[in-house]
């Protein structure tokens, strides 16, 4: 009986933190008075960059300028950006105390002339009306907005990120994060006014942080600037790790453990209960010949149906991964284990060929 109760409680906990907070689709015809600078940090992004730049060319709200910061790429990133006719900024040597992405974004800002900024990762892809609706959403929110993109997957290994992606949605849409002073933004897609960005001294204020996006959100909150997070369903997409499962594990593990320290306890508790229930349901295969088999199987099927529902808003994961969610759960354990090893044992995390030290107060 206790197994059944725990599994049901786990499933119910997910609905406490999940919010289908999509970007409102409204009329786009009103006058557009703001000059939008799109800033894209890019390090070895020759595969992703064309998709983003193509989608930017198709926007109903055309940016005032597009700036690609070539962060010492060793592939054709710069060549591709120049082919699209955008402004390309060469990366500068990384100063002491800065992390790579924050430094690249900051250099993009220093060259930007707009009065509003969209910071986009190179793996982002936008529907034609995305920028127009994002600008309107920012105007209504009167603060900073960010978007957790809809995950476009193609290869099987990419689909293993289902559980990680769902947990990310939980964390960024949780109702308990609205007043959290450490509330983060999702770094792949951030929209802010120049005046708000400069009020917190931008990415310079989080220059040494591994979790630059989460920590810059807290800087906005400290300054009294509201942070609103949306899910990208239908408008903002990304394909995160097209180059292989190694980069996927490296990217997801970079902040997996550290990010939990920024969440409200009221967010962490239901997420933990949901995760425990999910992992417990996957043990059905170990107890198939015991009295636990039936309640575990019922729990497994309930979680499977729930994963199908969440996947609709999270990304393209097909049928097999939700049905056999054991594999995505195992992948989750591997990523979390590797993240814990980097933080506790190594004291640094690796991303795109760079090692970033974990600051003591963020460590475990």
């Amino acid at each position: 009986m206790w197994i059944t109760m725990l599994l049901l409680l786990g499933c119910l906990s997910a609905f406490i933190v999940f919010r289908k907070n999509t970007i409102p689709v409204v009329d786009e015809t009103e006058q557009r008075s703001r000059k939008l600078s799109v800033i894209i940090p890019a390090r070895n992004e020759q595969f992703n960059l064309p998709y983003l730049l193509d989608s930017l060319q198709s926007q109903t709200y055309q940016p005032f300028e597009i700036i690609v910061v070539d962060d010492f790429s060793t592939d054709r990133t710069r060549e591709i950006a120049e082919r699209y006719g955008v402004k390309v900024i060469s990366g500068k040597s990384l100063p002491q105390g800065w992390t790579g992405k924050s430094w690249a974004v900051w250099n993009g800002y220093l060259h930007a002339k707009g009065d509003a900024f969209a910071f986009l990762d190179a793996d982002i892809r936008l529907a034609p009306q995305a920028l127009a609706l994002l600008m309107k959403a920012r105007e209504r929110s009167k603060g900073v907005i960010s978007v957790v993109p809809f995950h476009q997957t193609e290869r099987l290994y990419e689909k293993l990120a289902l559980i990680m992606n769902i947990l990310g949605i939980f964390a960024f849409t949780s109702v308990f994060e609205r007043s959290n002073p450490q509330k983060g933004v999702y770094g792949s897609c951030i929209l802010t006014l120049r005046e708000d960005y400069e009020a917190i001294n931008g990415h310079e204020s989080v220059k040494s942080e591994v979790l630059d996006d989460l920590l810059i959100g807290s800087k906005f909150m400290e300054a009294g600037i509201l942070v609103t997070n949306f899910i990208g369903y239908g408008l903002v997409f990304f394909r995160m790790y097209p180059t292989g499962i190694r980069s996927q594990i490296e990217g997801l593990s970079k902040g997996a453990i550290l990010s939990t320290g920024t969440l409200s306890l009221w967010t962490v508790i239901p997420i933990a209960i949901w995760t425990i229930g999910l992992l417990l349901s996957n043990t059905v295969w170990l107890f198939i010949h015991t009295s636990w088999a039936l309640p575990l199987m019922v729990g497994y099927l309930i979680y499977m149906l729930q994963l199908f529902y969440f996947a609709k808003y999270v990304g393209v994961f097909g049928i097999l991964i939700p049905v056999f969610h054991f594999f995505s759960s195992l992948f989750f354990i591997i990523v979390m284990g590797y993240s814990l090893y980097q933080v506790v044992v190594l004291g640094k995390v690796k991303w795109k060929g760079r090692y970033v030290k974990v600051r003591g107060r963020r460590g475990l």
Side-chain angles (χ1 to χ4, degrees), residues 20-39:
K20 193 175 66 176
N21 194 24
T22 56
I23 303 160
V25 178
V26 295
D27 179 38
E28 302 176 44
T29 58
E30 73 181 45
Q31 185 178 2
R32 300 161 185 170
S33 58
R34 298 196 183 278
K35 295 179 179 180
L36 178 65
S37 296
V38 175
I39 299 173

Side-chain angles (χ1 to χ4, degrees), residues 19 31 47 147 162 203 234-235 339 346 362:
R19 292 293 181 275
Q31 185 178 2
F47 297 108
V147 182
L162 172 60
H203 280 76
L235 288 174
S339 182
L346 300 181
R362 295 288 169 192

Side-chain angles (χ1 to χ4, degrees), residues 269-283:
I269 290 173
I271 288 178
I273 294 173
W274 182 81
T275 306
I276 291 169
L278 173 71
L279 298 179
L280 179 62
S281 75
N282 277 290
T283 65

Side-chain angles (χ1 to χ4, degrees), residues 3-23:
I3 295 178
T4 303
M5 294 299 294
L6 179 57
L7 292 170
L8 291 176
L9 180 61
C11 287
L12 290 174
S13 295
F15 292 111
I16 295 175
V17 289
F18 175 73
R19 292 293 181 275
K20 193 175 66 176
N21 194 24
T22 56
I23 303 160

Side-chain angles (χ1 to χ4, degrees), residues 42 49 71 75 96 118 135 216 236 268 289 305 319 336 341:
L49 200 55
D71 187 17
D75 61 3
Q96 184 71 26
M135 289 293 285
I216 203 171
V236 181
V268 172
H289 298 298
L305 294 174
I319 296 175
M336 296 301 288
Y341 169 74

Side-chain angles (χ1 to χ4, degrees), residues 108-137:
Y109 151 73
L110 292 176
H111 288 83
K113 297 181 174 62
D115 53 15
F117 305 136
F119 300 111
L120 303 179
D121 281 359
D123 55 11
I124 291 291
R125 306 171 188 187
L126 302 170
Q129 71 275 33
L131 285 184
L133 295 177
L134 284 170
M135 289 293 285
K136 288 207 169 186

